[in-house]
Amino acid sequence: LMRIISGATRPDGGSIEMDGIERTLGSPADAYNAGISTVYQELSLLPNLTVAQNAFLGSELRRRGILDRAEMSRQTRELTESFGLDIDPDRKVRDYSVATRQLLEVAIATRRGARFLLLDEPTTSLEGAQVERFLRTVRDLAAQGFGIILVDHKLDELYDVAHRIVALVEGEVR
């Protein structure tokens, strides 16, 4: 289901409707353009780039034809602070813990205009307080109007954040 909604796999039936309009999401770019962002269990941030470079990858800011690194850094700091992250936008992503990278990935998705977040077992590599912090972020985003699909095998986490829980077994609703 996540692969279909994210545009990675073409459905063999059914339809996807967003805002009352049927959509064809034939590629991840189609999903991205529709405001859907997927955060996979395996993080997709580029560890050798800075946080700001990751945040603006593909949409770099320019001033008079030159990269405006200062503005990208400023906007990245503003974004990360809004997620409760105390990080240096000019440090490499690899310098941060997996928990911080997970939250960074979600923060960057919102910066890119996502309205719907698909989260694939995001707490698998997190522990204790990190899990609670991440789930608090999910609740806050939902309260701001983001649509969120959270795939998780930990029922206590689902009950903590979900408005509705659907169990799929081999593609069938159970």
Side-chain angles (χ1 to χ4, degrees), residues 4-11 16 18 23-28 30-31 34 36:
I4 290 170
I5 296 171
S6 69
T9 299
R10 284 191 163 272
I16 296 175
M18 295 175 60
R23 297 282 189 132
T24 301
L25 304 173
S27 70
D30 289 344
I36 299 170

Side-chain angles (χ1 to χ4, degrees), residues 18-90:
M18 295 175 60
D19 300 325
I21 301 168
E22 191 170 317
R23 297 282 189 132
T24 301
L25 304 173
S27 70
D30 289 344
Y32 176 83
N33 291 332
I36 299 170
S37 187
T38 306
V39 177
Y40 293 101
Q41 201 172 348
E42 303 81 26
L43 299 176
S44 64
L45 297 176
L46 300 174
N48 59 320
L49 297 181
T50 67
V51 173
Q53 288 171 321
N54 271 279
F56 283 89
L57 192 61
S59 61
E60 292 83 359
L61 300 179
R62 297 184 185 282
R63 188 172 183 208
R64 297 184 186 141
I66 299 172
L67 283 179
D68 192 345
R69 295 178 198 275
E71 181 60 17
M72 289 188 291
S73 183
R74 186 194 69 72
Q75 287 186 29
T76 301
R77 181 174 304 282
E78 190 175 279
L79 172 70
T80 57
E81 285 175 354
S82 74
F83 275 78
L85 296 170
D86 181 22
I87 63 160
D88 179 353
D90 299 316

